[in-house]
Amino acid sequence: MVRAGADVVGLDLRPSGDEPFPVLGFDVTDDASVAAAVAEALELLGGLDVLVNNAGVGGPAPAEYAPAEYAPGEEVRRQLEVNLLGTWRVTAARVGALVAAGGRGDYALMALVLASVTAVSAGVALVGARRLTDACGFRVPDERAGHAVLADLRVAWRDRDYRAPVLSYLFTGTTTHLFLAALPYVTAYVFDDTRLTALFMGLFLAPALFASPLWTAWSRRFGKQRGLLLSQGVFAAGSLALLVGALLGGTAGVAVAAVVVMVMGVAFAGLQLFAFSMVPDAVAAAGAAGSSKAGAYTGVWTATEATGTAIGPYLYSAVLALGGFVSRTAAEPVAQSGTALGALLVGFTVVPAVLMAVALGFQRRYTLDPAA
């Protein structure tokens, strides 16, 4: 913004003094400090056109951190004060200046553009659906499906080539979300550096940008089934390989873990791509057999995805509880027993490997991929 020629004033808890614009010291959690800093900033600027709220703190704060354990919940309260209430305080203190600066016409134009894009998109979808129906016809849903959740489950369960991938995806989703839930604990208690959470998370998710096209090319040559089985196998092996990084520790351990996590991210892209691409195949196979089960199949798949998302973190918390893990009582991690650290590590490595092996076992029963 400075390079673009804007007048900028910053507010920070501890200004470094080397910023290319004035930075005023203030505490985002203190009402009086916010009011004084905002007044001084407005005096320096002579008005206000843009407000950027960028203050924030983070760190593991799972649900088991009950306020009673905190005496009285310092970490959770600190995060809420800075991330939520701090944003509200600064915005509330400056909203008058923003309104006084005008610019409502710009907001009205933005709203009009967004509304127009939404309306056009909805219209295209409606016209497209109508033309698709005219071109492909309409198949009456399977009468056995009924209109209830249990009926959808019964219809889906009867189809082996749908039952296999959906059970596989249940265990796959549980595994990947357990991994994501466990990652902050591993960086804090195994590598003693919570900043590694962002690094590992990026290494895990970023490969999807380039891996998905590669997996698509793989599927055309070798088939979806082989691609999914390979992805599951790589993820399971990667989970166990993380033990090496944890045992090495230090810089070498972090480097090993980073490489393994990146490989697992490539596998994760395949897990998502191949699993989702098999649902239309199962629907088409059911349609060829004389019944339309698209609604039941997609509904059960969505419910399965949500279930796996929920089970993964709870399963990891159960492993921690069995190991005697003690929730921290301040901003810094507390010392854990050897059993608790062992449970933390087993839950991050061995348990995901076992779960993914179960997913792989179910997936092997899928028979609709002719390339496999």
Side-chain angles (χ1 to χ4, degrees):
M1 296 175 72
V2 173
R3 286 195 298 268
D7 294 325
V8 176
V9 173
L11 305 179
D12 199 353
L13 181 62
R14 288 181 290 272
S16 64
D18 58 358
E19 295 90 348
F21 49 84
V23 178
L24 310 176
F26 90 129
D27 184 354
V28 75
T29 67
D30 183 272
D31 292 337
S33 177
V34 169
V38 166
E40 185 176 353
L42 290 177
E43 184 176 351
L44 290 173
L45 291 170
L48 185 65
D49 297 303
V50 177
L51 168 63
V52 178
N53 284 299
N54 196 41
V57 294
E64 67 265 24
Y65 286 3
E69 298 176 303
Y70 260 82
E74 294 90 349
E75 175 63 13
V76 172
R77 292 180 185 277
R78 183 174 75 99
Q79 293 190 24
L80 291 174
E81 280 287 346
V82 175
N83 300 343
L84 178 63
L85 296 179
T87 299
W88 177 85
R89 286 189 187 94
V90 177
T91 303
R94 297 186 179 185
V95 68
L98 287 169
V99 173
R104 292 191 177 186
D106 294 335
Y107 287 103
L109 177 61
M110 179 179 67
L112 179 61
V113 170
L114 290 176
S116 300
V117 171
T118 302
V120 171
S121 299
V124 170
L126 290 172
V127 172
R130 181 181 293 276
R131 290 182 177 179
L132 185 63
T133 302
D134 293 340
C136 302
F138 176 77
R139 187 182 295 273
V140 178
D142 193 332
E143 295 181 357
R144 296 174 298 173
H147 302 283
V149 174
L150 291 179
D152 286 348
L153 289 173
R154 284 194 295 267
V155 168
W157 190 257
R158 293 190 190 103
D159 187 342
R160 173 183 174 179
D161 284 314
Y162 179 78
R163 183 172 68 246
V166 80
L167 288 174
S168 176
Y169 192 65
L170 173 62
F171 280 88
T172 296
T174 300
T175 305
T176 55
H177 286 88
L178 183 153
F179 174 87
L180 293 172
L183 192 56
Y185 291 89
V186 174
T187 58
Y189 291 96
V190 176
F191 296 110
D192 298 318
D193 189 351
T194 57
R195 294 173 299 177
L196 292 174
T197 301
L199 172 64
F200 288 160
M201 196 72 74
L203 291 174
F204 183 73
L205 298 176
L209 297 175
F210 66 85
S212 294
L214 297 178
W215 281 125
T216 300
W218 165 284
S219 68
R220 294 194 183 102
R221 183 169 182 180
F222 302 105
K224 302 175 184 177
Q225 173 74 336
R226 289 177 179 171
L228 182 51
L229 293 177
L230 177 60
S231 299
Q232 291 173 328
V234 169
F235 199 98
S239 298
L240 294 176
L242 287 172
L243 279 170
V244 177
L247 295 176
L248 283 175
T251 303
V254 171
V256 170
V259 172
V260 172
V261 168
M262 187 165 59
V263 173
M264 293 174 69
V266 174
F268 177 69
L271 294 175
Q272 300 298 306
L273 177 68
F274 294 124
F276 276 91
S277 67
M278 289 179 177
V279 178
D281 295 340
V283 171
S291 63
S292 178
K293 303 176 182 178
Y297 283 13
T298 54
V300 171
W301 189 271
T302 301
T304 300
E305 181 181 18
T307 302
T309 301
I311 291 176
Y314 279 109
L315 181 57
Y316 187 68
S317 66
V319 174
L320 292 181
L322 289 174
F325 183 86
V326 179
S327 298
R328 70 185 187 180
T329 57
E332 297 298 325
V334 299
Q336 303 291 339
S337 67
T339 304
L341 291 175
L344 185 151
L345 196 54
V346 167
F348 184 64
T349 57
V350 177
V351 173
V354 172
L355 290 172
M356 194 60 79
V358 175
L360 193 151
F362 280 119
Q363 189 59 44
R364 287 176 61 86
R365 302 178 185 179
Y366 181 78
T367 62
L368 290 181
D369 189 354

